[in-house]
Amino acid sequence: MAETAQRSGRSNVLTSYDPRTGEVVGNYAVMGTGELNRTVRAARSAEKWWAELGFSGRKRWLLDWKRSIARRASELVEILCEETGKPEADAAIEVMLAVENLDWAARNAARVLDRRRLGSTWLTRNQRASVGYLPLGVVGVLGPWNNPVFTPMGSIAYAMAAGNTVVFKPNELTTGVGVWLAESWSRLAPNQPVLQVVTGNHGTGAALCRTKVDKIAYAGSDAGAREVISLCGQTMTPVVVERNGKGAMIVHVDAKLDDAAEAAVFGAMANAGQNANGIQRAYVASSVYEQFLELVADQARRLRPGADKRASYGPMILESQVDVVRKQVRDALARGGRAVVGGLESIREPYIEPIVLADVPEESVAITGEGIGPVLIVNKVANVDEAVQRINAVGNGVAVSVFTRDVHGAEAFAEQLRVGVVTVNSSTAYAAIPALPIGGVGEYGQGHHHGDQGLREFSRTLAIARKRYQAPVNLSTFDRHPRDLRLAKAIFRVRHRRMG
């Protein structure tokens, strides 16, 4: 929403550019309110057909779609590289992860959402209770620019598997990716607009929020998230939000430092640091701090951004983000932080070379702000408790990575962290587990993506209770017999007053 593209053309045409070269990738229409409303109406027209297919029918369609994407994956990878500047390997991995989520959602929707029987108490044995999950209807998805295939597929695939139709508004910087995905569905089912794309700018996304779809899924900046929540509040449209901002790492005294350093650098620098599931800062036990910092610096110095296949990562996709990184680094240094690798001189638009900062005060915007860029902050802590306190105080990450040899202790300690995901001895790999729900706490986000919770996120709960026979003890009537109440009280005393 708030990440308005700076690479747009005329008011009625959206031009997509390759951030590495500035060359035009494609031109797309900026859809008006009328066209947007027609798209939503078309989604409503397909809603009944898609829902009535049931889980098995939708599974067959979604797996066919998955195979279609996989067969033509090289096309999608090429567009992804052109619109984001990512190295081919990074783009290929993103597409593969997206397809894995589609496959998982299709195969697991029935298990998670189909109607199942519930237990009852001694008072309601004559009732048969069940719960099931039904489609919401039409879901609007607002995609980000940093992972424009993987991230929105975490909403699109799960919403469709749950029985919803989807209207997808890709970010204006990566419109071609969204068009390709929608067209891949259209080739499969040309007469059933279960997945459609709307192209346009910030205003198009805002208009989608006002169309009274049944839910909006948004991924992007803090400012964009607040705007989406505000717009959807006007129509009481529920939202699921995944905000930018990388997570943190804790390095214990007994950690395998080589592994921790490798994970920290990859988590901070991969995709030019433009991953919401990456690492913004590492809190390291004081006794191993200098050794860890040395290992990190050595690994970071080997990395090189660029446009060729041997580059470690690509350019900054959103031009304005370069200035955000510059501001954060300048503030960190001004407040007493020190540059271990790189610094302000590392920023050479559209690329930013690796930057490692140490001893950065917690009030610096490099820590409190959204960490989008190839920057890693390494700070010293006295112990794990101090690391927890610092992470919880900032509260701007969905995940924390803990590196320690005490795996069981780490799992118990994870409950002290106010985040949605804790990984032990790995950093970003958790995002590749479709069954693992991803969601933030408090300011980070609302709702979940992936896993069972991701499927239920795009469903409505329907509970049903059916009377099977006359209850031997019937208390649900004004004509109840006094002996029924006496018997109920006697059973209650036996059940709930005794020990054990």
Side-chain angles (χ1 to χ4, degrees):
M1 289 294 296
E3 304 100 340
T4 302
Q6 295 181 7
R7 296 177 273 168
S8 58
R10 301 185 304 276
S11 60
N12 61 339
V13 175
L14 187 69
T15 302
S16 177
Y17 296 91
D18 187 327
R20 300 166 296 187
T21 64
E23 295 177 354
V24 174
V25 175
N27 292 295
Y28 306 93
V30 176
M31 292 186 177
T33 303
E35 195 167 1
L36 182 60
N37 288 335
R38 285 193 294 273
T39 302
V40 173
R41 284 198 297 271
R44 293 281 182 208
S45 72
E47 180 185 330
K48 187 172 184 291
W49 172 78
W50 186 241
E52 289 182 349
L53 284 175
F55 294 110
S56 60
R58 290 194 295 269
K59 176 181 175 181
R60 287 193 294 271
W61 277 97
L62 291 173
L63 292 180
D64 283 347
W65 185 37
K66 175 205 76 169
R67 286 186 281 270
S68 176
I69 294 173
R71 282 193 295 267
R72 304 174 64 227
S74 59
E75 295 177 17
L76 182 55
V77 167
E78 183 178 358
I79 297 172
L80 186 54
C81 289
E82 289 176 342
E83 291 197 318
T84 66
K86 292 185 180 188
E88 183 180 352
D90 288 0
I93 291 170
E94 180 175 345
V95 170
M96 287 190 284
L97 294 180
V99 169
E100 288 294 336
N101 272 277
L102 175 56
D103 181 80
W104 190 91
R107 296 182 188 277
N108 286 274
R111 174 185 62 80
V112 176
L113 305 176
D114 206 2
R115 183 159 295 279
R116 68 178 187 274
R117 187 174 174 179
L118 302 174
S120 60
T121 71
W122 63 277
L123 282 169
T124 56
R125 284 181 180 174
N126 67 318
Q127 299 279 339
R128 173 164 289 172
S130 66
V131 64
Y133 300 87
L134 302 178
L136 295 172
V138 178
V139 172
V141 176
L142 299 170
W145 46 265
N146 51 345
N147 288 302
V149 178
F150 170 70
T151 299
M153 190 61 85
S155 297
I156 293 169
Y158 291 77
M160 291 173 68
N164 304 281
T165 57
V166 173
V167 177
F168 177 32
K169 161 53 175 76
N171 186 276
E172 45 265 44
L173 299 182
T174 54
T175 302
V177 167
V179 170
W180 191 96
L181 286 172
E183 288 180 348
S184 70
W185 172 265
S186 182
R187 280 190 295 271
L188 194 68
N191 299 317
Q192 299 296 346
V194 176
L195 172 63
Q196 299 173 92
V197 67
V198 290
T199 61
N201 52 26
H202 168 271
T204 311
L208 180 58
C209 292
R210 299 189 187 100
T211 58
K212 296 185 179 180
V213 293
D214 297 289
K215 193 161 200 172
I216 289 285
Y218 168 83
S221 72
D222 175 81
R226 292 179 185 277
E227 183 178 2
V228 167
I229 292 169
S230 175
L231 288 168
C232 290
Q234 297 170 21
T235 56
M236 299 299 288
T237 302
V239 296
V240 54
V241 171
E242 180 182 349
R243 288 165 49 194
N244 290 334
K246 292 182 287 189
M249 174 183 285
I250 297 173
V251 182
H252 207 336
V253 292
D254 65 348
K256 294 181 180 179
L257 296 184
D258 287 338
D259 291 350
E262 181 182 29
V265 172
F266 184 81
M269 311 294 178
N271 193 25
Q274 299 167 112
N275 286 328
N277 62 339
I279 302 295
Q280 179 186 23
R281 59 205 191 280
Y283 294 106
V284 186
S286 56
S287 61
V288 295
Y289 178 76
E290 293 299 336
Q291 186 181 354
F292 177 81
L293 191 57
E294 216 173 286
L295 291 168
V296 162
D298 181 60
Q299 292 211 19
R301 290 189 184 103
R302 301 178 197 170
L303 304 180
R304 182 181 61 80
D308 59 275
K309 290 185 177 180
R310 290 177 295 178
S312 306
Y313 55 83
M316 300 303 290
I317 303 166
L318 181 63
E319 292 176 9
S320 61
Q321 193 60 42
V322 175
D323 289 331
V324 174
V325 173
R326 183 180 287 112
K327 176 183 176 183
Q328 291 181 352
V329 172
R330 183 181 289 120
D331 184 72
L333 297 176
R335 291 178 183 271
R338 57 190 175 98
V340 178
V341 177
L344 290 172
E345 70 279 4
S346 303
I347 302 172
R348 301 185 177 95
E349 300 181 47
Y351 299 99
I352 299 178
E353 294 178 359
I355 299 173
V356 178
L357 305 175
D359 305 322
V360 176
E362 296 294 304
E363 64 271 16
S364 169
V365 292
I367 289 179
T368 62
E370 293 175 321
I372 302 296
V375 180
L376 174 63
I377 295 168
V378 183
N379 278 351
K380 184 188 303 181
V381 291
N383 49 46
V384 167
D385 290 338
E386 183 183 351
V388 171
Q389 183 181 8
R390 291 194 185 191
I391 290 170
N392 288 345
V394 176
N396 66 345
V398 69
V400 170
S401 299
V402 181
F403 274 77
T404 177
R405 296 174 195 263
D406 183 8
V407 175
H408 298 296
E411 291 182 353
F413 146 81
E415 296 182 3
Q416 301 175 36
L417 293 159
R418 286 188 54 78
V419 292
V421 179
V422 175
T423 66
V424 181
N425 295 330
S426 69
S427 57
T428 61
Y430 75 90
I433 307 172
L436 188 75
I438 299 174
V441 176
E443 283 289 305
Y444 181 80
Q446 298 184 19
H448 288 83
H449 297 84
H450 303 180
D452 293 7
Q453 287 89 333
L455 286 165
R456 292 191 181 121
E457 194 70 56
F458 299 102
S459 307
R460 64 179 179 90
T461 304
L462 178 62
I464 297 176
R466 175 169 60 87
K467 180 179 175 182
R468 296 188 295 157
Y469 53 83
Q470 189 66 35
V473 178
N474 186 13
L475 303 181
S476 301
T477 173
F478 287 113
D479 295 327
R480 57 178 170 255
H481 198 281
R483 69 168 176 269
D484 285 355
L485 186 58
R486 288 195 300 271
L487 179 58
K489 287 181 176 179
I491 295 174
F492 175 82
R493 286 193 296 271
V494 171
R495 281 176 53 81
H496 297 296
R497 291 188 182 182
R498 64 188 179 187
M499 297 293 291

